[in-house]
Every structure is written in C-alpha cells, then in structure tokens.
Amino acid sequence: MTARLIDGNALAREVRAEVAGRTAALRTRGVNPHLAIVLVGDNPASQVYVRHKMADSEATGLAATLHRLPSDTPEPALLGLIARLNADPTVHGVLVQLPLPDGLDARAVISAIDPRKDVDGFHVANAGALATGLPGFRPCTPWGCLRMLDAIGLALRGLQAVVIGRSNIVGKPMALMLLERHATVTICHSATADLAALTRQADVLVAAVGRRHLVTADMVKPGAVVIDVGMNRVPDGEPGAGRLCGDVDFEAVRDVAGWITPVPGGVGPMTRAMLLANTIEAAERQTA
Ligand code: NAD
C-alpha cells in the first residue's frame, strides 16, 4: 500500500481563505481584527516564526502589530505591556513568542494574558477548558492536526489513537482532542516501555517528539493514519543534509500507512493557519 498524502499546504490555504472571508465580514461591521505579537530578545528561530506570523496575518487581512523588547527586559515591564494589550479593545489576540530569555518566567507571562485573547491556547484557563470539554482556544498545532483528520473524513469514535509526546503545547492537548472525539487514546513518552507494541495498535498515530526516524515502518499498523508533528534536520553527512524532516521515516512508513502527513508541507503550515483561525475567532467573540 502507498499511503495517501494529507496535504497541509492545501488545507492551510482553505483555512486562510475562510479566515479572510470572516475578516472581511467583520470589517463590514467596522471591526478590524488585530493580533499583537510580543517578541522578547533575538532568538533567531523566534524571529523567523514571528515574521511568518506577521506575514500570514497580513495576507489574510488581519492587522498584526509586533512589540519587540530587548532580552534584558525586566518581567514587570513585560507584564505591563501584556496588561496594556489586554485592556486595549482594538487588540483581539495576544501572543508572546516562546521561548523567553533566561530570567523570564514563561508560566507567569502566559498567565498574564487575558484568556479571551490567548490565541495560542496556552493559558491554564484554555488548557482547563479543553480538559473539561468547555469552549476556549485550542493550541494551534494539535488543533491543526485535528483539522487534518477531519479533512480526510476520519470518524474517530472508537478508534485506537496513540500520541507520542506529552508536551503541554502538542502531545497532551492532542490526546485530549482525540479523547473529546471518542477515540481510545494512549499517550507515550520518553519513559514508555515498548513503544512499538503500543504504536502498532494505533489506527491514528501522532508523533510529536523531535527525533528523526523515531517511527519506523515496523511500528505502524497497516492502513493507519500517521500525523508527523516532528521538526528535525537531516544531519550532516547524510543525503539531504540540513533539510527539514519529521519524526517518521516517511519513505518506509508511506508503504504501510493509509494516510500520512509529509514534512515539510504537513503539520507546519496547519499550525500557522490555525493561529489565524484562533485570532479571527477571538475577534468575533469579543465583538459579538
Ligand atoms: P517537547 O520536547 O516539549 O516534547 C517531546 C516529547 O517527546 C516529550 O513529552 C517526551 O517525553 C517525548 N519523548 C522524548 N523522547 C522520546 C522517545 N524516545 N520515545 C517516546 N517519546 C519520547 O517537544 P514539543 O514542543 O512537544 O515538540 C515535539 C516536536 O514537534 C519537535 O520536533 C517540535 O519541533 C515539533 N513541533 C512542530 C510544530 C509544527 O508546527 N510542525 C509545532 C510544535 C512542535
């Protein structure tokens, strides 16, 4: 079997078109949907991510403002900026790019964002809403993965789902979203004994670890849906050195799986698109 590809680029285009339509509709009511992005310090990867977020916003008609602060910004100054953004009715989404420089407590900073503007979905109020089945903002990466599963028409009820990784931003919320859809969910992590025995039972397998070739063909149930969240680089000295790759041995696993997401062109573009979806949602809720 050769797996069918779940095309994250194509699906992200659909999401962006929806967001653009909703943005235009809000504009006709005099609302200018607006995302504020806070970047502290000069982490090169963060600068790239923030550039993408600004460009994506502008391309879909959302206003985006970047607030750049030096890496030695004292925490009270950062919290003060967040308080001003929270109080500003023209700002609908507030995002603080992580990681923060040493000396700043990410938990305290994320907790300071008004949950109604927390478009990353990282605030404990939004994490708790997901855990208890209440509406709220869902973290963009697993939210995008769920959208991919919906796009292929997969009925999750009763399926075995295995999530590898238990981070607060990917693995845990992914597991909760699958549970909410009535899948039977297993969460695997660095202390899991016999990972392969568990993954081989998965109808849906989500890999969110950050380790190239973690998932090999013998770990995948024939016909399974495989979602590869991992972002790694092919090491020097190997063909394609420096290129982006996931956690899944794509070439081998595509012969076993039923559906698979590529890297690049899979979860990454969906993560970016779901931030826009959360931002327009925030603007709609705040101006309803
Ligand atoms: P993390 O480091 O916070 O979590 C990694 C998880 O993997 C941990 O829960 C750990 O227990 C588990 N793990 C480590 N080694 C393992 C092993 N040998 N077997 C099973 N589990 C193991 O990372 P994260 O922030 O959740 O990100 C995971 C990956 O997803 C990274 O590669 C990251 O770059 C990528 N990512 C991609 C996107 C995207 O948009 N495509 C977004 C977020 C994260």
Side-chain angles (χ1 to χ4, degrees):
M1 176 187 295
T2 301
R4 293 160 79 180
L5 280 191
I6 309 178
D7 184 343
N9 284 320
L11 199 52
R13 271 197 296 278
E14 273 179 32
V15 174
R16 287 197 299 271
E18 280 169 29
V19 171
R22 288 163 68 185
T23 303
L26 273 191
R27 282 254 162 78
T28 62
R29 294 207 279 112
V31 177
N32 186 22
H34 182 183
L35 172 65
I37 300 178
V38 180
L39 174 61
V40 189
D42 40 29
N43 178 313
S46 293
Q47 291 185 47
V48 173
Y49 291 138
V50 163
R51 241 193 339 265
H52 287 158
K53 289 170 187 179
M54 296 290 294
D56 290 347
S57 301
E58 281 152 17
T60 40
L62 297 166
T65 309
L66 175 59
H67 299 264
R68 286 203 71 157
L69 300 175
S71 56
D72 59 357
T73 299
E75 197 162 296
L78 175 56
L79 296 178
L81 171 61
I82 293 171
R84 286 195 295 283
L85 296 171
N86 285 343
D88 183 345
T90 69
V91 170
H92 305 102
V94 177
L95 178 160
V96 178
Q97 184 65 43
L98 300 178
L100 289 171
D102 289 347
L104 292 172
D105 177 359
R107 275 179 200 261
V109 170
I110 299 303
S111 297
I113 299 172
D114 183 334
R116 290 167 301 184
K117 297 190 178 186
D118 169 40
V119 288
D120 260 340
F122 294 163
H123 192 288
V124 286
N126 282 314
L130 171 59
T132 54
L134 293 172
F137 291 108
R138 306 308 196 213
C140 300
T141 299
W143 198 219
C145 295
L146 196 69
R147 175 92 187 217
M148 291 175 122
L149 296 174
D150 287 341
I152 62 168
L154 190 71
L156 285 161
R157 175 181 284 272
L159 295 186
Q160 297 278 350
V162 172
V163 178
I164 320 176
R166 57 174 162 182
S167 70
N168 289 331
I169 62 166
V170 190
K172 271 188 229 165
M174 183 79 257
L176 288 166
M177 287 176 203
L178 293 163
L179 188 63
E180 196 168 40
R181 295 293 192 84
H182 313 291
T184 300
V185 182
T186 304
I187 305 176
C188 300
H189 47 77
S190 49
T192 296
D194 204 352
L195 179 67
L198 295 165
T199 60
R200 272 197 286 270
Q201 294 174 25
D203 302 303
V204 179
L205 179 59
V206 181
V209 171
R211 197 158 134 189
R212 181 173 171 255
H213 287 180
L214 177 80
V215 177
T216 49
D218 59 311
M219 294 168 68
V220 175
K221 179 177 176 175
V225 180
V226 178
I227 306 285
D228 191 353
V229 181
M231 282 199 311
N232 312 294
R233 294 275 167 197
V234 176
D236 286 346
E238 293 197 23
R243 275 177 34 197
L244 192 64
C245 62
D247 290 346
V248 175
D249 181 358
F250 181 84
E251 289 308 327
V253 170
R254 72 183 307 186
D255 290 337
V256 181
W259 290 90
I260 191 166
T261 63
V263 178
V267 174
M270 285 305 290
T271 297
R272 288 170 60 173
M274 296 321 279
L275 173 65
L276 307 173
N278 276 351
T279 302
I280 193 65
E281 184 76 35
E284 287 169 352
R285 287 184 196 165
Q286 284 160 53
T287 57

